Structures are given as structure tokens and as C-alpha cells.
Amino acid sequence: MQIEVLGCAGGIGKQDNHVLRTTSFLLDDDILIDAGTGVGELSVPALCKINHIFITHSHLDHITSIPFLLDTVLGLREGYITVYALAETIRTLKMHIFNWKIWPDFSVIPSEDQPLLRYQTIEVGETVSLNARHITAIPANHVVPALGYHVSHCDNGFVFSGDSTDNDAFWDTVRNISNIKYLVVETAFCNQEKALAELSKHYCPSMLVKRLNELKQDLEVYITHLKPGSELIIMQQFSVAGCHVKALKNNQILVL
């Protein structure tokens, strides 16, 4: 199983000869975790293969490609695409996105009996198994209801925090997972913007270092969701603190 990083930035635009794309991961060729602007880099045939989308929360940088994906593949594929999310997140999508005012309601297109979009609620601790790939919702703490995800395949696991600030429930869960190969944690702000990180419920390095130092597992840690212009200083602050982490990159492949 492979996980391709379609987007991992905290914004959009061109910077230092590369393009910033917001959060999305492609699992093999048929599952998305979040659907930020990075999904737009896929070919139309690749978009037609996506059958499942797991959403961490309702913020636009994590859902923005869902409407365009659905509109693009309508009539080009058979069957429906399932969006998995908290009940609160699904209500937000229905009320504010797929409401015929912002975008058509693909849960009744092309017909109510055979829609292109179907919703499935998922709660913390719940696992969805798809051909030997197991996706479990784990706790997150953000300004809207949110999840992280643990993806498990064979003897290896991938954990993604989603957008979140510090919370015991997430780290207790991480410590109790024995098969983590990759841990991907957001750090949107540098230490100088700690007050903003706390207000918006994101991490900065000083908030995350202690948690990472407490981990006993042998795993690779990647930092994601860095705000444009802050990438270098954020990674320097981890280095100064003696915390050995890497910045996630667009198009990076993680193999489980």
C-alpha cells in the first residue's frame, strides 16, 4: 500500500519554484484522506478511480476539491463516492456546500436512487475496512468538530493528526498503537505566533516538541500544514529544540 502526498501546505500559490497545495493524501488509487487543492493535480482518469473520501473536518482547505471532483467524474464512472466524516461535518457539507446555492446536491444527482455522493458517519474509535486497508478515526481538537486518522495495512500504520492543537486523547491513542511507521502532525505556526496557534487550535513547535519527546515508538515524524513563509523558521525551531522531524513534501510517497 502506498500513500501519496497530494497537498500538505497551509496555503496556496507558487513559492521557491514549487506549488503550494492544501491537504490531501491518496491511498493507493481509490481512497482520499481530505480533499484539498492537491486533488486537482490528478488526471481525470485518476479522479474517476476514487471511491472513498475520509474528511478530518469541514474547513475549506480540506474539502475544496470534493465539489469539483464530483462534477468532473459525473457520467464518466459507475457507482457512488462515499464521504466519511463526523455527523457534524456532514451536516455542514449539506447545509453550506451541497445546497444548490453554492453547489448542486450530488446526493440526489443523477437521481435519488442512484446518487454520485453518499455520506457515511464515522466516530472516534470506529474503523472502516476496505480490502485489507483499515482506516480508524482518532481524536483531534480543533475549532470545529474534527478527527485524525490511523491507516493500517499488514503490520504497518500511518497516523495523521488532521488540524488539531494539543490534546491528551490523541497522544494516548498514538501511544497505544503498536504499528506506526509514519506519524504526520500539523504545525501551522512558528513559536512567535503561539497565541494565534492557541486561538485557532493549531500547533507551533514549542507545543509539539514535548509530546514528540515523550514517544517511545520507533517511527518517522513528518510536519505538515506549515503556513506559507513560515516553513523555514518552523523547521529551524524543531531543530534547535533537538527534535528530529521532517517537513512533508508534495508528491512524497509513503509506503506501508
Side-chain angles (χ1 to χ4, degrees), residues 124-165:
V124 170
E126 202 171 336
T127 299
V128 176
S129 295
L130 302 166
N131 296 327
R133 301 161 299 177
H134 311 289
I135 298 100
T136 302
I138 61 177
N141 179 17
H142 198 36
V143 293
V144 294
L147 297 169
Y149 287 106
H150 168 216
V151 178
S152 181
H153 176 68
C154 296
D155 294 326
N156 289 318
F158 161 85
V159 168
F160 173 46
S161 69
D163 282 11
S164 182
T165 193

Side-chain angles (χ1 to χ4, degrees), residues 32-33 59 78 90 106 120 138 164 175 186 190 202 224:
L32 290 176
I33 294 183
H59 281 167
E78 295 182 355
I90 291 173
F106 280 88
Q120 182 169 322
I138 61 177
S164 182
R175 280 190 290 271
E186 72 107 283
C190 62
H202 287 282
T224 188

Side-chain angles (χ1 to χ4, degrees), residues 98-112:
F98 298 105
N99 57 9
W100 294 105
K101 296 177 181 178
I102 300 299
W103 208 250
D105 181 2
F106 280 88
S107 69
V108 296
I109 296 175
S111 70
E112 291 189 28

Side-chain angles (χ1 to χ4, degrees), residues 5 7-13 15 18-23 25 61-62 160-163 184-191 193 202-205 208 221-239 245-250 252:
V5 181
C8 56
I12 62 170
Q15 178 176 270
H18 69 276
V19 178
L20 302 177
R21 307 171 192 148
T22 66
T23 303
F25 302 92
D61 55 331
H62 295 256
F160 173 46
S161 69
D163 282 11
V184 176
V185 188
E186 72 107 283
T187 306
F189 298 101
C190 62
N191 289 337
E193 296 180 308
H202 287 282
Y203 275 108
C204 66
L208 185 55
V221 180
Y222 289 94
I223 302 303
T224 188
H225 205 281
L226 293 78
K227 289 297 182 182
S230 297
E231 298 94 341
L232 182 60
I233 189 170
I234 288 173
M235 298 312 296
Q236 286 176 338
Q237 288 172 346
F238 279 113
S239 180
V245 299
K246 304 172 188 176
L248 204 64
K249 302 294 184 183
N250 283 348
Q252 187 170 349

